[in-house]
Amino acid sequence: MAIKQDHWAIFITNGSKKNEFIGELLGNDPPTGLGRFKNLKGALFSKLALEHYMDEEDRHDTKLLTKGTSQSLRSMSSGEQKKALLAYLLKSDLDYIVLDSPFDNLDTAAQHQLTNTLFERSSHTTFVQIISRKNDLLPFITNYALLDNSKLLFYGNLDFIPMDAKIDLSTKSVPPSLHPIIYNREIVIDLKNVTVRYGNKTVLQQINWTIKKGEFWQLIGKNGSGKTTILSMLTGENPKGYGQELFLFGKKKGSGESIWDIKKNIGYFTPSMTDKFTGYHTLENMLISGLNDSIGLYVKPSEIQLALAKEWLVLIGMEQMKDTHFHDLSMGQQRLAMTARAMIKHPLLLILDEPTASLDDASAQLLVSLVNKIARESGTATVFVSHRQEP
């Protein structure tokens, strides 16, 4: 018999063994304190679950979530995919559903829609929310625990759950550039009536956007609204920029510049980049590689480069980890390091694409503090892409 109206929030940090916890809960061997879920039927609502269904579609042409429609799961936006998965699970006669970071990569409207759907079903189905940000807490949840490594710590009050950063960035300065970029114009990026179409689909419609030195922009928009396309215009990677009034660092797109001429002026980070760093690169070498826009470091660094890397590592509180392999760092540590790597050459433009996605409150707080510090103490223009209103 299912337990009604007994919903749980399991808070996680970068040190939490989340997958192990989910495996125990769904494997009918619930952790101590959650014995009420034993012998109940549950399922997982997560990005990983969606990947499984997309693989089934790709390999076997088996549609489960989009059965009866012509649309494939992979062609949907993040919000549409999650909506399809939830609808499927809610029809599956489950006692409980584990919601693994359900709001990640969803725009504000999709978040509200998902919250309303879950609220409507909360009297019929028990939900266990895996959560890293307190602001994401579903309104009907009243039971709280923190997954400390692999141990659950239970709390009667939400305010007592420790989720604050322990590193203070205010006492240190952003290290200077080794080789300052000489650029005498005020305008860094200029888009004038830029339009992008793919077949009959218009992705961008007459976009006008001027970015000046040192400005700080947040780019927001619904899932599928064209944010990724705009970013590809800013970085010069989209061939649709040719023949348009698109000016990157003082030069019109297609006027003889190479992609490397553009990239040398840009620092860029998106969480998916960390998947490319699979080699045994140390944290120190990873930072220095940002000076060369390379994935890892393949030449011996100079003494001045090593000194600069040390300054950045001191700033972000990771100087004792300089020889640690990058892939052995926690998610929050990787994001901090990659933000520093993107900024180490003091580019004219810093693009941070959803840098706080999936981070816990403490790590997000630390990363946002670093970004704000960079904005205050440098002449770099910043474009911060996020569905969240970070402080």
Side-chain angles (χ1 to χ4, degrees):
M1 178 179 172
I3 300 168
K4 308 303 183 187
Q5 299 178 324
D6 187 31
H7 310 288
W8 284 81
I10 309 298
F11 285 87
I12 58 171
T13 68
N14 286 317
S16 300
K17 294 186 177 180
K18 179 185 73 172
N19 292 339
E20 180 182 292
F21 167 80
I22 292 174
E24 290 176 354
L25 188 62
L26 292 174
N28 206 25
D29 184 24
T32 302
L34 294 180
R36 67 201 72 198
F37 289 96
K38 192 170 180 64
N39 297 323
L40 297 184
K41 184 181 178 183
L44 178 62
F45 176 89
S46 72
K47 183 179 178 181
L48 190 64
L50 277 168
E51 285 293 338
H52 166 73
Y53 288 111
M54 283 189 277
D55 285 344
E56 284 296 306
E57 278 192 8
D58 294 342
R59 293 179 183 179
H60 309 296
D61 196 26
T62 303
K63 286 186 176 182
L64 289 175
L65 307 194
T66 58
K67 192 174 182 179
T69 71
S70 60
Q71 188 172 17
S72 71
L73 193 58
R74 201 173 291 281
S75 69
M76 294 177 168
S77 69
S78 299
E80 291 171 330
Q81 290 175 351
K82 289 191 172 184
K83 187 177 179 180
L85 175 58
L86 184 60
Y88 176 77
L89 294 179
L90 290 176
K91 290 187 294 186
S92 300
D93 190 31
L94 298 168
D95 296 316
Y96 69 96
I97 297 175
V98 179
L99 306 167
D100 183 8
S101 302
F103 298 122
D104 276 2
N105 303 119
L106 291 186
D107 59 56
T108 304
Q111 290 177 27
H112 287 315
Q113 186 179 38
L114 178 58
T115 299
N116 290 337
T117 300
L118 294 172
F119 185 82
E120 290 169 2
R121 293 302 298 256
S122 61
S123 59
H124 303 286
T125 304
T126 296
F127 294 107
V128 179
Q129 183 183 9
I130 310 294
I131 180 173
S132 57
R133 306 290 297 269
K134 286 185 178 180
N135 285 343
D136 289 346
L137 184 67
L138 289 165
F140 51 83
I141 289 181
T142 55
N143 299 295
Y144 319 112
L146 172 67
L147 186 60
D148 182 13
N149 195 283
S150 57
K151 182 181 179 183
L152 277 179
L153 305 177
F154 295 90
Y155 293 85
N157 191 310
L158 187 64
D159 295 331
F160 295 155
I161 301 177
M163 300 287 279
D164 295 322
K166 298 179 176 63
I167 300 175
D168 182 11
L169 302 180
S170 63
T171 60
K172 308 175 189 74
S173 299
V174 171
S177 170
L178 281 186
H179 307 289
I181 298 173
I182 307 301
Y183 185 77
N184 298 319
R185 300 172 185 251
E186 183 68 14
I187 295 176
V188 176
I189 301 285
D190 203 9
L191 284 71
K192 298 179 180 179
N193 294 317
V194 170
T195 296
V196 174
R197 294 187 182 92
Y198 293 98
N200 296 324
K201 184 176 182 180
T202 300
V203 181
L204 300 178
Q205 178 77 35
Q206 294 186 321
I207 299 295
N208 292 280
W209 188 10
T210 300
I211 301 175
K212 297 179 180 179
K213 272 185 177 179
E215 289 186 337
F216 193 113
W217 291 83
Q218 179 175 5
L219 178 61
I220 60 176
K222 293 182 179 180
N223 297 113
S225 62
K227 296 188 299 298
T228 301
T229 303
I230 279 195
L231 294 183
S232 70
M233 303 302 277
L234 302 189
T235 59
E237 294 176 313
N238 195 322
K240 296 284 186 178
Y242 289 106
Q244 302 209 54
E245 294 294 295
L246 171 62
F247 297 87
L248 308 174
F249 313 108
K251 293 183 179 180
K252 186 176 181 180
K253 174 68 175 172
S255 60
E257 81 290 350
S258 72
I259 191 67
W260 298 110
D261 291 331
I262 298 171
K263 284 185 177 294
K264 71 182 181 183
N265 295 312
I266 298 175
Y268 184 85
F269 171 61
T270 185
S272 62
M273 285 176 63
T274 58
D275 298 335
K276 299 177 182 178
F277 296 96
T278 54
Y280 289 91
H281 308 290
T282 65
L283 170 58
E284 181 181 65
N285 284 354
M286 187 60 67
L287 272 183
I288 295 172
S289 73
L291 295 169
N292 307 316
D293 296 314
S294 61
I295 299 177
L297 193 64
Y298 303 98
V299 294
K300 187 176 180 180
S302 66
E303 289 301 318
I304 193 168
Q305 289 176 331
L306 290 168
L308 178 63
K310 182 178 180 180
E311 286 187 64
W312 276 101
L313 290 171
V314 168
L315 172 64
I316 61 178
M318 296 173 67
E319 65 270 27
Q320 302 302 319
M321 307 180 74
K322 71 181 184 71
D323 295 321
T324 302
H325 288 143
F326 180 78
H327 58 63
D328 289 335
L329 300 174
S330 71
M331 184 190 297
Q333 291 167 338
Q334 287 183 348
R335 300 278 181 88
L336 269 182
M338 290 296 283
T339 301
R341 177 186 179 275
M343 186 60 198
I344 194 170
K345 63 182 180 182
H346 280 248
L348 295 176
L349 178 65
L350 176 65
I351 300 174
L352 301 171
D353 187 2
E354 295 283 3
T356 59
S358 302
L359 288 184
D360 60 52
D361 273 330
S363 298
Q365 179 185 334
L366 196 53
L367 191 143
V368 168
S369 296
L370 176 61
V371 174
N372 282 331
K373 190 175 186 65
I374 287 170
R376 287 194 305 269
E377 298 180 14
S378 76
T380 294
T382 302
V383 174
F384 189 94
V385 187
S386 178
H387 293 305
R388 293 180 182 274
Q389 293 291 341
E390 301 285 10

